[in-house]
Amino acid sequence: MRKLKVGIAGYGVVGQRRKKALDNNKNVSVIAVCDQKFKKNFVDKNGLHYYQNYKSLLKIKLDVIFICLTNDIN
């Protein structure tokens, strides 16, 4: 069985906790996160993609997106 490719929109406290939980699941691979706090798009040494906004996140092939934004985001 192949791993599900996962993205996380919103990488604050909740998004980071979600990633830690997902990292313990052998059936998924978090491949990208996005948050407006990032100054630029980049890829870290482990291959995790960081994007400044959700539009960039939506351009990549994902099976699942977790929305971890605060309730005041429109």
Side-chain angles (χ1 to χ4, degrees), residues 24-46:
N24 291 321
N25 186 323
K26 65 180 180 180
N27 297 315
V28 302
S29 178
V30 178
I31 63 168
V33 297
C34 72
D35 198 289
Q36 63 186 2
K37 68 182 175 189
F38 301 134
K39 304 263 189 252
K40 62 180 181 173
N41 296 341
F42 65 97
V43 180
D44 73 9
K45 64 181 179 180
N46 298 314

Side-chain angles (χ1 to χ4, degrees), residues 5 9 48 74:
K5 294 179 183 176
L48 181 63
N74 294 321

Side-chain angles (χ1 to χ4, degrees), residues 18-74:
R18 176 70 61 200
K19 182 180 180 308
K20 284 182 184 178
L22 290 167
D23 285 346
N24 291 321
N25 186 323
K26 65 180 180 180
N27 297 315
V28 302
S29 178
V30 178
I31 63 168
V33 297
C34 72
D35 198 289
Q36 63 186 2
K37 68 182 175 189
F38 301 134
K39 304 263 189 252
K40 62 180 181 173
N41 296 341
F42 65 97
V43 180
D44 73 9
K45 64 181 179 180
N46 298 314
L48 181 63
H49 294 252
Y50 291 79
Y51 296 111
Q52 291 178 293
N53 62 58
Y54 75 94
K55 291 179 183 178
S56 297
L57 185 68
L58 294 176
K59 291 179 181 178
I60 63 173
K61 176 82 169 118
L62 296 170
D63 299 305
V64 179
I65 297 177
F66 283 90
I67 309 298
C68 299
L69 303 172
T70 58
N71 293 334
D72 62 334
I73 302 294
N74 294 321

